[in-house]
Amino acid sequence: MTTATASGRTLAHPEPADIRLEAVLHALADPMRMRVVRDLAREEGAELSCSHFGLPVTKSTSTHHFRVLRESGVIRQIYRGTAKLSALRRDDLDALFPGLLDSVLAAATHQAQRLGTDA
């Protein structure tokens, strides 16, 4: 497990070798977390603040979702000033599970369109 340090605060992140498929799939199984991942994928390479996502849940629930995504290895988070920024760990996920992220994102997009919930 590695930690990202900025502004004196650290966050734990799994090393690529420690990322497990079942943890990634669990993280992606929740609609709120999938929404975050889809937004990050659309903004390829971007680091976005938690407030960018506007999740329709309480702050503590939002914090939980970001923690699950970070601890599973789906996102990397770092503090910049008072903002906690999130970025998709696409390179790590693509290297470990080729095609998985693209397939899941395509399926999520298809489902959102089918259900008429695509933003």
Side-chain angles (χ1 to χ4, degrees):
M1 178 106 21
T2 61
T3 56
T5 305
S7 305
R9 296 188 249 178
T10 61
L11 297 166
H13 297 87
E15 293 287 346
D18 296 327
I19 297 173
R20 297 290 176 253
L21 178 61
E22 55 275 12
V24 170
L25 292 174
H26 168 75
L28 297 175
D30 182 89
M32 289 298 112
R33 294 192 291 262
M34 191 68 231
R35 180 175 167 175
V36 168
V37 171
R38 288 182 70 204
D39 284 355
L40 286 169
R42 281 188 206 107
E43 304 285 333
E44 193 166 336
E47 293 178 335
L48 303 175
S49 69
C50 296
S51 62
H52 167 84
F53 301 96
L55 299 177
V57 295
T58 64
K59 186 174 180 178
S60 63
T61 300
S62 179
T63 298
H64 167 75
H65 287 311
F66 281 100
R67 183 178 54 80
V68 170
L69 288 167
R70 179 175 42 81
E71 290 178 353
S72 68
V74 174
I75 65 171
R76 180 167 305 282
Q77 291 185 302
I78 188 165
Y79 282 101
R80 291 249 170 79
T82 59
K84 189 188 299 182
L85 302 179
S86 300
L88 187 61
R89 291 180 66 175
R90 180 178 276 282
D91 290 344
D92 289 336
L93 294 173
D94 286 347
L96 292 165
F97 314 112
L100 175 68
L101 190 57
D102 288 334
S103 294
V104 170
L105 289 168
T109 298
H110 177 73
Q111 174 176 279
Q113 291 169 344
R114 181 176 54 85
L115 298 176
T117 59
D118 199 19

